[in-house]
Amino acid sequence: MADTTIDSSSASWLTRLHEWREEHISDRMFVLVLAFFVGFFSAVAAAVLHWLINQIVQLLTSSFDASSSNWLYLVYPVVGIYITSLFVRYVVKDNISHGITRILYAISQNRSRLKPHNTWSSVISSAITIGFGGSVGAEAPIVLTGSAIGSNLGKLFKMDSKTLMLLIGCGAAGAIAGIFKAPIAGLVFTIEVLMIDLTMASLMPILVSCVTATCFTYIFSGDAALFSFHLDNPWSVERVPACIGLGVFCGLVSLYFIRTMGFCEDIFARFKDKPYVKLAIGGVMLSLLIYLFPSLYGEGYGAINLLLNGASDDDWRRIMDNSLFSGQIEMLIPYIALVLLTKVFATSATNGGGGCGGTFAPSLFIGCFSGFLFSRLWNINQIGVYVPEKNFALMGMAGVMSGVMHAPLTGIFLIAELTGGYDLFLPLMIVSISSYLTIILFEPHSIYSSRLAKQGKLITHHTDHAVLTLMQMDSYIERDVLAVGPDTELSDIVRKISRSRNSVIPVLDAAGSLLGEIDIAKNRNVVFRTELYHHFTASQLMQKPSATLSDQASMSVVMKTFDQTHANWLPVLDKDGHLKGYLSRERIYTQYRKMVADMSED
């Protein structure tokens, strides 16, 4: 009884607050207020996650000897994946993997609604996974968290689906801006990856969220950048060929990353209902890889900083600390190449085995190693003018990120803001664009959107396609349909017609399969002749429908079918051929025009 009183009191308070808000604050101003809080909470979530990761790593690895390998690298990742899988299975009880893909799915298929647990579940699970050595990134979980905060704040204040989509974008942008202290990168990430259209109505809320998240991150963690970089060797125009070559190389590495990740995911998907088999395969693979190549442990940001700030072999050899190759400078290039090739397997093993993390950090990691390897081989073989390894390691990060995410602007601005490397802005552009142009020859979609694109559920900047993607056929099916059997007499059919809201009466067999339909307009000459009521049955009056629709059909197929048949009503059948209901051409087109108008508003 007390709980009921508390719930009703909370609901009453929220109702009064909502009424006061509608009376005193305009919708546009209130969205800006919500964007501020979304940015703030995204920054808090990012700070909490990184603090948790650092505490776990410090606790587990502070006593490691850098001059030798450590057998605990075989144990920690498996323990982390196992704990995470238990947490997800018994506490969260929902799939929280593929964070950014889940955001895209929520936007296109779930009216921009993310579940409340997404505001915290990814933070805890990814902290455990990464802290124990899982070879994934914290960025995608934080982006999902920020987006969930935006979605649930919007739902709390009864915002419509269009505003919820914008608030999801604010949460994602705030998360990226907060993690990397890069507000412009947060903005362009939302446009390129989440496909949020940039209008004057959406620009200001996203910017408010980005700036808020960035400012509070500075307050929480100081002004130190996530990666430190100092430009010792300015860029010159003679290095354009090398930059183009690096871009093409990064595009091919991105292709390897996407294809290999997809291959590994397919293997783990075979054991969907066998969590302990997945844990065994993923745990063994990850442990062995980390034992051989400790640089794969966790996010790998320490290794990135070593490559970005090294100036000689004595600096770079530290990348092999804790490994079997420690101190062997002649093994530097093979070690870098092997780490580059195995990182994607380590990431797949982490997520496939039951861990939680994203591919954002792995793409930065692989990009840094790719840039270093390319420049090192370029200089050793004296292919052209000397290129500084640290500069190309930085540009490689932008190149692989641009290729993997199909987001060249995000790659350019993120790396420039992240390291203060604006002096390398032009080569960053050359590498990112070259990488993007290379990858799109082979992969039309990013690693995040490819899963939804295969199902036709990916929203894009094309208004017509975006509207059709957002429309869900299931919500427009008229299920309250009065059907008749094949032997039903005309007198009974007329009684059905008088109670029906549709102009079509379906004829079903005993199993519920559609045999045909009676179009009232085409049978007027019979319907109004009472002397014929006992001379005709449904089987004599019915006709085959102009077309039938599968309940799994996309809205683009639905619209195309209506255009081709000019029908006013079309039946929807399930996989067994049973009638689920009818779609009305008028209702579908009315909703389509309304959504186009809404999306076209500034």
Side-chain angles (χ1 to χ4, degrees), residues 1-61:
M1 183 69 179
D3 292 340
T4 305
T5 303
I6 292 173
D7 290 341
S8 60
S9 176
S10 300
S12 176
W13 179 81
L14 285 172
T15 300
R16 291 198 300 272
L17 178 62
H18 181 64
E19 291 173 352
W20 180 89
R21 194 279 300 175
E22 286 187 325
E23 183 178 348
H24 294 87
I25 305 176
S26 67
D27 287 345
R28 179 166 291 193
M29 180 59 68
F30 190 63
V31 169
L32 294 177
V33 174
L34 289 179
F36 171 84
F37 284 103
V38 169
F40 169 72
F41 287 123
S42 297
V44 171
V48 170
L49 177 55
H50 282 294
W51 180 84
L52 286 173
I53 293 173
N54 291 333
Q55 292 301 307
I56 296 173
V57 171
Q58 183 68 21
L59 178 66
L60 298 180
T61 65

Side-chain angles (χ1 to χ4, degrees), residues 390-441:
K390 59 186 294 185
N391 291 11
F392 272 62
L394 179 72
M395 292 186 287
M397 294 167 68
V400 172
M401 174 174 285
S402 299
V404 169
M405 297 184 183
H406 281 44
L409 288 176
T410 301
I412 295 166
F413 283 102
L414 179 63
I415 302 305
E417 289 185 289
L418 197 57
T419 61
Y422 281 101
D423 291 331
L424 293 175
F425 203 71
L426 181 57
L428 283 172
M429 294 175 67
I430 295 172
V431 172
S432 295
I433 293 171
S434 299
S435 175
Y436 176 70
L437 292 177
T438 301
I439 188 66
I440 60 173
L441 295 175

Side-chain angles (χ1 to χ4, degrees), residues 313-314 316-317 320 325 327-333 376:
D313 288 348
D314 288 336
W316 292 321
R317 75 171 66 194
M320 298 184 288
F325 309 92
Q328 304 176 50
I329 189 60
E330 68 279 3
M331 294 298 296
L332 179 62
I333 292 179
R376 187 78 170 172

